[in-house]
Amino acid sequence: MKIEPGDPHALGATPREGGVNFALYSAHAEAVELCLFDATGKELRLELPRRSGDVWHGFLPGASAGLRYGYRVHGPFAPEHGHRFNPCKLLIDPYARQLRGGLRHEASIYNVGHPDTDSIDSAPFVPRAEVVEPLTPLPPRAPIPWDRTLVYELHVRGFTQLHPAVPEAERGRLKGLGGAEVLAYLKALGVTTLELLPIQSYISEAHLIEAGLKNYWGYNTLAWFAVHDAYASHNGCTEMRELVQRIHDAGLEVILDVVYNHSCEGNELGPTLSLRGIDNASYYRLEQNDPARYVNDTGCGNTMNADHPAVRGLILDNLRHWTRHLGVDGFRFDLATTLGRSRHGFDPHGALLTQISTDPVLSHCKLIAEPWDVGPGGYRLGGFPRQWGEWNDRYRDSMRRFWRGDEGEAPEFARRFHGSADIFEGSARSATTSLNFITSHDGFTLRDLVSYSRRHNLANGEENRDGHSENYSDNCGEEGPSAEKTVLQHRAQRQRNLLATLLLSQGTPMLLAGDELGRSQQGNNNAYCQDNALNWLHWENIDEDLLEFTRAIIRLRTEEPLLRPDRYRHALPDADGQYLCWLGATGEILTETQWRDPGLHYFACCTGQRNADGEAGTAVVLLFNGSRQDQEFTLPGDTEWRCYVDTARTPAVCDGEPLPHPLVLRAESLVLAKGTQVPNLLWRTDDD
């Protein structure tokens, strides 16, 4: 076979009239071989004939979709200079749209300076890339407004693996998630935006395989353009595009959790599968004084060099691929601080973050940062570009502490409930910027948060040392499962408190899939390696009362604009007459002295819209009692306040019955009430 010069401008394998164009970036390579494989695994090597700048390329006449290939890249093996080339290692194209075959953790996939392993051909143990037909671009789609967004974080496999309405062959796969009954459930729940844990091709770490475990979450990416093979039946990209279309037809959005901060190749002792063997010194950040070692700002062994033009190009091309060709609506960026890092530290106006924020396609997507990594100065909550949302762990921790009954938590609770204006408003960011969550995939489920005071991670094989050590959790009187009626009632009420707080706070709420069903991980707060019933949703054993409560609270949020503001409100009404203020038990504005009282556990948040005459208006009041005793509370004015939620009751959602004056607020409870003629006494102060 004769390979022609081809085109350097389209990286990856691109079918064209008469053949397939191949192009690969490598600034430090000396030669690049394209390796073709037939059905028996027989290999044919063809050297790419041209180099344009730092792109190696060639055109293969007669080739077409279905061709399986990889690369062997020649150059120096000189770790002291950052180079780890070895043509004995078959390498996966970073732009591969489809992989065939699994990875086997054999010695030959490592390239660490030992002749015994470095000289062995790794091809028998490494997946092949497969050429696929390009998908036509999709028309742009208007996003759901942020103030109407409710994010639902789910795992493709875990959500459907035990679903009785999903055909067995589709369980745990993209097709299963797109099933009619699954989407009908999500629609009825009231969420708007599905955030899928990583679906890009990933592998399990060697130590997990040896222990009989798997990487379940997927934060160990092998190929960013390819769908993880376990989630697709045949053509991952086509099946993902079809799933997104079904989700859109149901009126919902799709956000992908993407991992661009590190790769599955790990540290200097890890496998050589793709980027490391293609151009280690370009793709990864290396220690300045010792290029044989990797900067580990991610805690995962290596750190992508997002300050390098080729890496930025790869990430941007990948984001556009998922958006333009597969139709996804946005991205949640794992350890996003890494994307803004250079040798000089984090820069929110760095090249990659700026390019994503201003890209004609990507700037219209929902962009969400996990605003930290483990490197120097890595915690950056509030530090991302204006249109980005940010996971808010300070919200998570404060809500947990308050409802646990911790002393002195009231001021922090109020700031976080108010959408963390102290963090975001000063940079002119919206009240929807804060991605509020109380639980996520990483940590306890909601049921476990109120059932365990400590982690129970022995099943992970790390002697219970892994996972968060401080969870701000409480077992409500008994560790783990309980048959005691008072314990179960206490746990049920605290779950209602936490869910209602999450869904009624200012900001954008994120709900962990299964929390509304009472899902437990048996106290495991780091279930990343548990691909089994511990992680899968058990659809035939759910908490129906909790599910109905969650649906009702979401309906209240959806129907009442005062509960989902698009801008920050304060005590003085804004130009549209909207306000928010905090009240004490007497119905008066809380003073600075009262806020400083460490024993303050009960107060109210009143948010409203004054009438055109400025004298009265509609308001919603949320009363919080985090103490262990009932508290008497006086609601403001002579207004008739009607109750719609009382978490101390069962059922907890009411039909608007009048509240007595004064009100007895039950211990550890939350009440939501509405008033229609709220007097202007609430607006007589500029104290926020």
Side-chain angles (χ1 to χ4, degrees), residues 241-282:
R241 178 162 155 149
E242 292 171 351
L243 169 64
V244 173
Q245 184 59 58
R246 287 195 290 271
I247 292 172
H248 286 169
D249 289 345
L252 306 175
E253 293 180 314
V254 183
I255 287 178
L256 298 187
D257 197 338
V258 289
V259 187
Y260 299 128
N261 56 80
H262 76 284
S263 83
C264 67
E265 292 182 307
N267 64 16
E268 55 272 12
L269 300 179
T272 295
L273 303 172
S274 182
L275 303 175
R276 171 176 286 148
I278 293 170
D279 192 352
N280 186 66
S282 293

Side-chain angles (χ1 to χ4, degrees), residues 546-566:
L546 188 62
L547 173 58
E548 184 48 44
F549 174 79
T550 307
R551 286 172 172 164
I553 296 294
I554 292 174
R555 282 196 299 270
L556 285 170
R557 175 186 174 85
T558 301
E559 295 167 1
E560 177 52 70
L562 291 173
L563 294 174
R564 44 179 179 80
D566 60 356

Side-chain angles (χ1 to χ4, degrees), residues 493-548:
Q493 182 166 327
R494 187 167 291 179
Q495 287 177 91
R496 292 194 293 268
N497 291 339
L498 289 162
L499 278 173
T501 303
L502 171 67
L503 295 168
L504 300 176
S505 295
Q506 293 196 75
T508 301
M510 186 188 81
L511 181 65
L512 173 63
D515 274 357
E516 77 281 10
L517 305 174
R519 183 174 77 93
S520 172
Q521 292 174 176
Q522 299 175 24
N524 192 320
N525 76 346
N526 189 35
Y528 78 102
C529 57
Q530 300 295 328
D531 186 6
N532 50 49
L534 183 74
N535 258 322
W536 304 338
L537 269 67
H538 294 258
W539 291 95
E540 295 180 344
N541 182 25
I542 65 175
D543 187 332
E544 294 283 359
D545 291 338
L546 188 62
L547 173 58
E548 184 48 44

Side-chain angles (χ1 to χ4, degrees), residues 53-96:
D54 293 326
V55 176
W56 303 76
H57 52 95
F59 180 80
L60 187 60
S64 61
L67 179 67
R68 298 184 181 183
Y69 72 99
Y71 289 110
R72 297 181 187 273
V73 182
H74 297 255
F77 180 81
E80 67 278 10
H81 299 298
H83 303 312
R84 294 178 177 270
F85 295 102
N86 186 341
C88 293
K89 309 306 170 186
L90 184 71
L91 305 173
I92 295 168
D93 182 359
Y95 282 77

Side-chain angles (χ1 to χ4, degrees), residues 571-604:
L572 285 177
D574 61 20
D576 294 324
Q578 296 187 10
Y579 64 91
L580 181 147
C581 55
W582 294 89
L583 311 174
T586 62
E588 299 292 334
I589 298 286
L590 278 169
T591 66
E592 288 274 345
T593 300
Q594 290 172 307
W595 277 121
R596 287 195 295 267
D597 180 2
L600 179 64
H601 291 282
Y602 48 95
F603 43 81

Side-chain angles (χ1 to χ4, degrees), residues 354-369:
T354 299
Q355 286 177 278
I356 293 172
S357 302
T358 59
D359 184 88
V361 174
L362 303 177
S363 60
H364 296 287
C365 295
K366 283 190 166 71
L367 304 173
I368 302 172

Side-chain angles (χ1 to χ4, degrees), residues 599-611:
L600 179 64
H601 291 282
Y602 48 95
F603 43 81
C605 177
C606 185
T607 182
Q609 171 83 53
R610 68 179 180 182
N611 290 339

Side-chain angles (χ1 to χ4, degrees), residues 63-250:
S64 61
L67 179 67
R68 298 184 181 183
Y69 72 99
Y71 289 110
R72 297 181 187 273
V73 182
H74 297 255
F77 180 81
E80 67 278 10
H81 299 298
H83 303 312
R84 294 178 177 270
F85 295 102
N86 186 341
C88 293
K89 309 306 170 186
L90 184 71
L91 305 173
I92 295 168
D93 182 359
Y95 282 77
R97 263 65 168 176
Q98 181 75 51
L99 299 184
R100 298 296 183 191
L103 175 74
R104 289 170 57 187
H105 282 280
E106 300 290 339
S108 65
I109 68 173
Y110 296 90
N111 181 36
V112 293
H114 296 306
D116 292 345
T117 57
D118 291 1
S119 60
I120 304 175
D121 184 6
S122 68
F125 313 110
V126 176
R128 279 65 160 132
E130 183 174 281
V131 178
V132 298
E133 289 289 351
L135 297 170
T136 56
L138 294 166
R141 182 173 179 270
I144 294 172
W146 273 107
D147 65 310
R148 292 183 174 272
T149 297
L150 201 171
V151 179
Y152 189 73
E153 188 197 43
L154 67 85
H155 190 283
V156 167
R157 178 166 168 81
F159 197 71
T160 63
Q161 185 64 25
L162 300 178
H163 199 296
V166 175
E168 188 169 348
E170 297 179 1
R171 293 181 181 179
R173 296 174 177 265
L174 301 176
K175 287 186 177 180
L177 184 59
E181 291 198 33
V182 174
L183 293 178
Y185 169 82
L186 294 167
K187 187 72 173 175
L189 180 60
V191 299
T192 68
T193 306
L194 309 184
E195 181 181 308
L196 308 184
L197 265 68
I199 64 166
Q200 296 166 321
S201 179
Y202 64 87
I203 63 170
S204 293
E205 296 86 337
H207 74 274
L208 292 179
I209 300 295
E210 292 170 3
L213 301 169
K214 295 181 182 178
N215 188 312
Y216 173 75
W217 287 349
Y219 295 91
N220 200 40
T221 314
L222 174 63
W224 291 338
F225 284 82
V227 171
H228 187 54
D229 58 356
Y231 297 158
S233 302
H234 179 66
N235 187 318
C237 288
T238 299
E239 291 178 32
M240 181 63 189
R241 178 162 155 149
E242 292 171 351
L243 169 64
V244 173
Q245 184 59 58
R246 287 195 290 271
I247 292 172
H248 286 169
D249 289 345

